[in-house]
Amino acid sequence: MKKDEILEMSRKENAGKHDEREMAAFGTASRVGMLVGGILCAVLVFLSEFLFKVHEIGLVAWLVYFAMQGSHHITLYTKLKTNKHLVYGIVALAFAITFMVTLCVVTLG
């Protein structure tokens, strides 16, 4: 086979798939998104406690954030099979459940 034939076959096989540069960009975007979400949660907690005096806003913010983190790590575990992602995912989801239960107790109680 000639070089051009090999390149053409490779292009056909990889059509619609992301290359390494795109995958790295998706990873960076994911990390930045999680960081911005965490900062926003901290700001919401501050505002809800000291400005709005509505404690439930902070609980909801952390519930959403830890649910995002947990699902992110569980997804990474299913794809990469690394135990640290499983542990991080379980811990983050446990925090999310804790915030959900606390929110229900505060709201209903």
Side-chain angles (χ1 to χ4, degrees):
M1 278 191 185
K2 294 185 180 180
K3 178 181 170 185
D4 294 335
E5 292 172 343
I6 294 171
L7 287 174
E8 185 60 33
M9 284 176 53
S10 176
R11 284 189 194 107
K12 286 180 182 177
E13 285 178 17
N14 295 318
K17 295 180 182 176
H18 300 291
D19 63 14
E20 289 181 31
R21 184 180 64 80
E22 289 173 321
M23 295 303 292
F26 286 132
T28 301
S30 174
R31 286 187 297 278
V32 169
M34 291 289 189
L35 176 64
V36 169
I39 291 169
L40 183 59
C41 285
V43 169
L44 284 172
V45 168
F46 177 78
L47 292 175
S48 72
E49 292 293 324
F50 299 110
L51 187 61
F52 302 134
K53 305 293 185 199
V54 181
H55 308 295
E56 291 83 0
I57 294 172
L59 294 172
V60 170
W62 287 122
L63 165 64
V64 170
Y65 180 73
F66 282 111
M68 289 178 357
Q69 283 286 352
S71 61
H72 173 79
H73 283 289
I74 295 295
T75 302
L76 284 174
Y77 170 73
T78 60
K79 300 292 182 186
L80 303 175
K81 302 294 186 222
T82 53
N83 289 335
K84 75 175 186 175
H85 290 297
L86 178 61
V87 171
Y88 292 158
I90 290 171
V91 169
L93 290 176
F95 274 111
I97 291 168
T98 302
F99 280 110
M100 183 174 61
V101 169
T102 305
L103 179 64
C104 290
V105 168
V106 167
T107 304
L108 300 174

